[in-house]
Amino acid sequence: RIQVAYDNKTERTTVTFGAEVLEAEGVAGDLYFSIVYSHPGAEPTAVESVTLFLQNYRSGRLFDESDAVEFVVDDEPMLLPITDFDLTPRKGGLTGRTRTDRSDEIVHLKVDRAALQRLGEARSLTYREGRAVVMFDQDDLAAMRAMAQRMAGP
């Protein structure tokens, strides 16, 4: 599930996990997460941080005016600052007589290796935004641990 791609033109390697579907309560829409980092050259090398993307495809914004995402790691809060934000409106279809407008909302979080390892080692991991509670399953946590190990280099 982790993909590694080397680009000869830029002489950079990009390592990607996801996009994986997340389970959510209190919110309608599709939620995903992915993790991406890149480094120079074709050989594995240590990196300091990854970008964790939280993507939401739904009506309305989930991360309205947030500057951090609150994760709950084994019942302990952990705030990760939002480093970038994308909102791409999409026209939906008709549901009955109502036009549904949806958007892709993507939040970028810069996560260092220790924080990613802590997230991955959790027994339970969720994040909260407004009424939404979004849960990560054990496969998601295993992927976070694997990405944190790759970040250490050879």
Side-chain angles (χ1 to χ4, degrees), residues 19-90:
E20 290 293 312
V21 176
L22 293 170
E23 187 178 326
E25 294 175 356
V27 63
D30 301 321
L31 295 133
Y32 305 90
F33 88 102
S34 56
I35 303 168
V36 177
Y37 72 87
S38 68
H39 61 78
E43 296 301 315
T45 187
V47 296
E48 296 294 318
S49 64
V50 298
T51 301
L52 180 107
F53 296 97
L54 299 174
Q55 182 174 0
N56 166 30
Y57 176 62
R58 63 188 291 270
S59 294
R61 290 178 58 180
L62 180 63
F63 295 97
D64 197 20
E65 298 183 23
S66 299
D67 54 355
V69 174
E70 180 182 343
F71 284 83
V72 180
V73 183
D74 297 329
D75 298 323
E76 295 289 326
M78 178 180 178
L79 283 177
L80 293 176
I82 294 173
T83 56
D84 202 358
F85 177 87
D86 298 319
L87 184 65
T88 307
R90 290 192 194 184

